[in-house]
Amino acid sequence: MLGLDAFAADAVNAGAAPASNAPADDGPAYGPELQGFNYPAPVRQFEFTSQGEALHMAYMDIAPEHPNGRTVVLLHGKNFCGATWESTIERLSTAGYRVIAPDQIGFCKSSKPRRYQFSFQQLARNTHALLESIGVKNATIVGHSTGGMLAIRYALMYPAQTQQLVLVNPIGLEDWKAKGVPSLSVDQWYERELKTTADGIRRYEQATYYSGQWRSDFEPWVQMLAGMYRGPGKKEVAWDSALLYDMIYTQPVVYELGLLKMPTLLLIGQKDTTAIGKDAAAPEVRAKIGHYPELGKSAAKAIPHATLVEFAELGHAPQMQDPAAFHKALLDGLAAVSVKN
């Protein structure tokens, strides 16, 4: 999660008006593993050992009524959880796809280790181990936001098990460090995260995720995040979030896009301006990062077998802002690729 400073600064930079007149931090409190927040399907736990620590990885496994023989794995973003794929899970399942939606270690209903070397390679290994444990040998990998960075890393590490790659407004399509965004220490990220409130989240999401729009159906996802910072595990959640931001900043994937061999579908909301650490950068640096119309096109050019679909009026979360348009593009893109199980 972004801390309040980052949420608020990015909202101001985007010129967002307040999303609502709701109190700054009013709402429910959830446990450090999102205890008390309901998911759209039964949550299971994959228990495993990693880096010498016993961990558990939450996931949903939704079987379709009329299977088409394909499996889709949905990888959530930094300020998202498996639950935020709710409408996508329903549409894919109705269309015959088995759907797996995990919460990565450090997020949501999964373990929050205090000492863990977070890397996209490690998260990809964890995800692969989960899929092996439930008998999934091949799948279409869909990644949104930070989940897009993870999906790319997964596809590079496990190309034979990745039938198709779908990237939804992925971050990591540019190297913020190389472009001049200053480094923040884990301790600095942690202090920022401790300031997280619902109001800061709401303002940031309105500006960046929903291109200035706000609807009541966006509010549960604000409360999902803010609730963990109201609960007894606030410090655990903030610490893991800080570690994850350091991972994102230091491990860009843009340099390896040309190595992707599988069919890749890019679904890009054009109003997105996401760039990690943008609020800490100088004005001249902020002006040249987070331009998704350019980033989507450059990624499509770099990836050998890419198809680009652009949503002119949508932001960072097209699957939530305009589910009908997004799911049509997703289902059409999945149907266009013939895969072997």
Side-chain angles (χ1 to χ4, degrees):
M1 300 73 177
L2 281 172
L4 173 58
D5 291 349
F7 272 123
D10 277 355
V12 170
N13 292 336
S20 73
N21 293 319
D25 196 27
D26 185 39
Y30 300 122
E33 294 176 4
L34 207 46
Q35 294 95 334
F37 185 89
N38 292 326
Y39 272 35
V43 176
R44 308 180 188 186
Q45 296 289 347
F46 170 52
E47 296 183 357
F48 65 109
T49 299
S50 176
Q51 299 182 20
E53 187 166 353
L55 302 173
H56 61 88
M57 187 172 176
Y59 69 98
M60 293 175 284
D61 184 353
I62 300 92
E65 186 175 350
H66 304 290
N68 64 11
R70 292 181 64 179
T71 298
V72 175
V73 179
L74 301 174
L75 303 179
H76 62 77
K78 176 66 176 66
N79 300 316
F80 301 81
C81 296
T84 54
W85 286 112
E86 181 174 7
S87 63
T88 303
I89 290 170
E90 192 277 330
R91 290 296 300 274
L92 288 171
S93 181
T94 299
Y97 295 90
R98 179 184 179 183
V99 183
I100 314 296
D103 283 347
Q104 296 298 322
I105 296 300
F107 293 87
C108 309
K109 288 187 178 291
S110 292
S111 295
K112 306 290 187 306
R114 177 72 182 176
R115 303 296 177 193
Y116 200 66
Q117 185 172 334
F118 281 102
S119 70
F120 285 108
Q121 289 88 343
Q122 182 66 69
L123 297 186
R125 290 188 184 100
N126 296 347
T127 303
H128 189 255
L130 163 65
L131 297 179
E132 282 194 323
S133 76
I134 56 177
V136 176
K137 297 181 179 180
N138 295 283
T140 291
I141 307 297
V142 179
H144 169 237
S145 189
T146 298
M149 295 183 77
L150 174 56
I152 291 168
R153 181 58 57 204
Y154 184 97
L156 291 170
M157 291 175 66
Y158 305 105
Q161 286 80 48
T162 305
Q163 298 170 327
Q164 184 180 6
L165 181 63
V166 180
L167 303 174
V168 184
N169 282 77
I171 61 172
L173 299 182
E174 57 185 337
D175 186 342
W176 305 294
K177 177 166 59 68
K179 288 188 173 183
V181 175
S183 170
L184 296 177
S185 70
V186 170
D187 290 325
Q188 287 174 314
W189 277 117
Y190 176 63
E191 290 303 319
R192 288 158 65 102
E193 292 300 277
L194 289 174
K195 299 175 184 177
T196 300
T197 68
D199 191 53
I201 296 169
R202 193 180 297 110
R203 289 169 182 269
Y204 176 79
E205 292 189 353
Q206 181 189 19
T208 306
Y209 296 178
Y210 309 122
S211 55
Q213 299 177 13
W214 192 256
R215 301 195 307 259
S216 60
D217 57 303
F218 300 152
E219 185 65 20
W221 312 125
V222 170
Q223 298 302 331
M224 176 189 71
L225 299 178
M228 287 189 286
Y229 286 89
R230 299 189 192 104
K234 173 180 180 176
K235 291 183 178 180
E236 298 170 53
V237 174
W239 181 254
D240 268 25
S241 185
L243 295 176
L244 289 159
Y245 270 119
D246 187 68
M247 173 189 76
I248 295 167
Y249 175 82
T250 59
Q251 298 177 31
V253 294
V254 62
Y255 305 113
E256 298 167 85
L257 297 181
L259 301 176
L260 294 167
K261 304 302 182 185
M262 64 290 300
T264 301
L265 177 64
L266 288 157
L267 301 174
I268 307 294
Q270 300 292 282
K271 300 294 186 181
D272 191 1
T273 59
T274 301
I276 298 300
K278 178 173 64 176
D279 65 295
E284 61 271 19
V285 174
R286 289 200 301 268
K288 64 182 182 182
I289 58 178
H291 298 300
Y292 269 79
E294 300 170 12
L295 294 172
K297 289 181 174 64
S298 62
K301 184 177 180 180
I303 298 171
H305 307 290
T307 299
L308 173 63
V309 177
E310 299 173 323
F311 303 101
E313 300 303 320
L314 303 185
H316 186 62
Q319 75 276 23
M320 298 158 77
Q321 188 179 0
D322 190 345
F326 173 81
H327 291 125
K328 182 182 187 306
L330 174 62
L331 290 169
D332 288 350
L334 295 181
V337 173
S338 175
V339 298
K340 296 180 180 179
N341 292 299

